[in-house]
Amino acid sequence: MNEINFCPLDYTMNLIGTKWKPIVLFHLLEEPLRSGILQKKVPGISNKMFTQTVRELEKDGLLIRTVYPVVPPKVEYALSTRGKSLQYILESLDKWGAEDCKK
Amino acid sequence: MNEINFCPLDYTMNLIGTKWKPIVLFHLLEEPLRSGILQKKVPGISNKMFTQTVRELEKDGLLIRTVYPVVPPKVEYALSTRGKSLQYILESLDKWGAEDCKK
DNA sequence: CTGTATCCTGTCGGATACTG
DNA sequence: CAGTATCCGACAGGATACAG
């Protein structure tokens, strides 16, 4: 890597520029969701990639993982403040896609 | 893939959701650039990935490739109308990154 | 200058089975 | 229900050499 022409866009893409991350975040915009529900909203994602994705998002402080000590286990994911600050971008991406695929 | 919960965001990410595409497009926002210049603005990218990236962007109609029949060869890349319509999003991603990495 | 063609390695990412 | 572990094929992506 070279930092000479580093641009913030690059920084952003390193956080959310993967196949699944934006979609996961997008589905959390409205409300926190428990694990199973969230995963079902991202069809095509494998169990492995789902876990890996939310783990990285948690590590980067974009979402918060809450474990409820009940049986059966219940885990809920919610956007952090930092994650919520992406709302505008996620919706822009969504809107652009909606407009563009009409053509 | 499953289309039940297909969202436009997914569509957008399939077009520009890679490591290099947004950066390449971003550097073309101001003005068309010839190949060598553009590539130098994306440090860290290998020759192979650069060619591959612009080829896909061209195929998807996001940029236009113009070959000038001169010696030495001159090739220029410019955003298409469709590519320009991403300006807003690219700048949002850039701004977010600039804001966020202050913290 | 611009782009292509190999080769080669690491990682992505799915399928499956299993634990608490 | 939620998550982990392993296996394994596919491909992203770099280095290098070469062509027009």
Side-chain angles (χ1 to χ4, degrees):
Chain A
M1 283 303 162
N2 187 321
E3 305 295 335
I4 296 176
N5 268 316
F6 172 81
C7 63
L9 192 158
D10 200 3
Y11 171 87
T12 306
M13 293 310 286
N14 283 331
L15 280 179
I16 60 165
T18 70
K19 183 175 177 53
W20 304 112
K21 284 181 183 177
I23 306 177
V24 167
L25 293 172
F26 184 75
H27 287 298
L28 288 175
L29 283 180
E30 277 195 16
E31 54 182 353
L33 294 173
R34 59 183 301 181
S35 187
I37 309 291
L38 178 56
Q39 184 168 351
K40 283 193 190 68
K41 287 198 178 243
V42 189
I45 197 174
S46 67
N47 191 275
K48 177 182 173 182
M49 289 318 296
F50 177 73
T51 302
Q52 188 175 311
T53 300
V54 291
R55 278 298 189 289
E56 280 172 24
L57 289 172
E58 186 192 13
K59 179 174 64 62
D60 291 334
L62 293 174
L63 61 73
I64 294 163
R65 179 170 177 267
T66 310
V67 182
Y68 296 88
V70 296
V71 231
K74 172 179 172 180
V75 176
E76 214 168 58
Y77 294 100
L79 291 185
S80 67
T81 304
R82 196 183 184 198
K84 277 179 195 147
S85 73
L86 283 166
Q87 171 157 6
Y88 183 66
I89 287 177
L90 295 171
E91 287 174 348
S92 293
L93 288 166
D94 192 61
K95 278 179 196 164
W96 188 90
E99 280 304 311
D100 190 79
C101 69
K102 285 183 192 169
K103 304 168 190 171
Chain B
M1 282 303 160
N2 187 323
E3 305 294 337
I4 296 176
N5 269 316
F6 172 81
C7 65
L9 194 158
D10 200 1
Y11 172 87
T12 306
M13 294 309 287
N14 283 330
L15 281 178
I16 60 166
T18 70
K19 183 174 177 54
W20 304 111
K21 285 181 182 178
I23 306 175
V24 168
L25 293 172
F26 184 75
H27 287 298
L28 288 175
L29 282 180
E30 278 196 15
E31 55 183 353
L33 294 172
R34 59 184 301 182
S35 188
I37 309 291
L38 177 56
Q39 184 167 350
K40 283 194 190 68
K41 286 197 178 243
V42 189
I45 196 172
S46 67
N47 190 276
K48 178 184 173 182
M49 290 317 295
F50 177 73
T51 302
Q52 187 175 312
T53 299
V54 291
R55 278 298 186 290
E56 280 172 25
L57 290 172
E58 186 193 13
K59 179 173 66 61
D60 291 334
L62 293 174
L63 60 72
I64 294 165
R65 180 172 177 263
T66 309
V67 182
Y68 296 88
V70 297
V71 234
K74 173 179 172 182
V75 176
E76 213 168 59
Y77 294 100
L79 292 185
S80 67
T81 304
R82 196 184 185 197
K84 278 179 195 148
S85 73
L86 283 165
Q87 171 157 8
Y88 182 66
I89 287 177
L90 294 170
E91 288 174 349
S92 293
L93 288 166
D94 191 62
K95 278 179 195 163
W96 189 89
E99 279 306 309
D100 190 79
C101 69
K102 284 181 191 169
K103 302 169 191 174

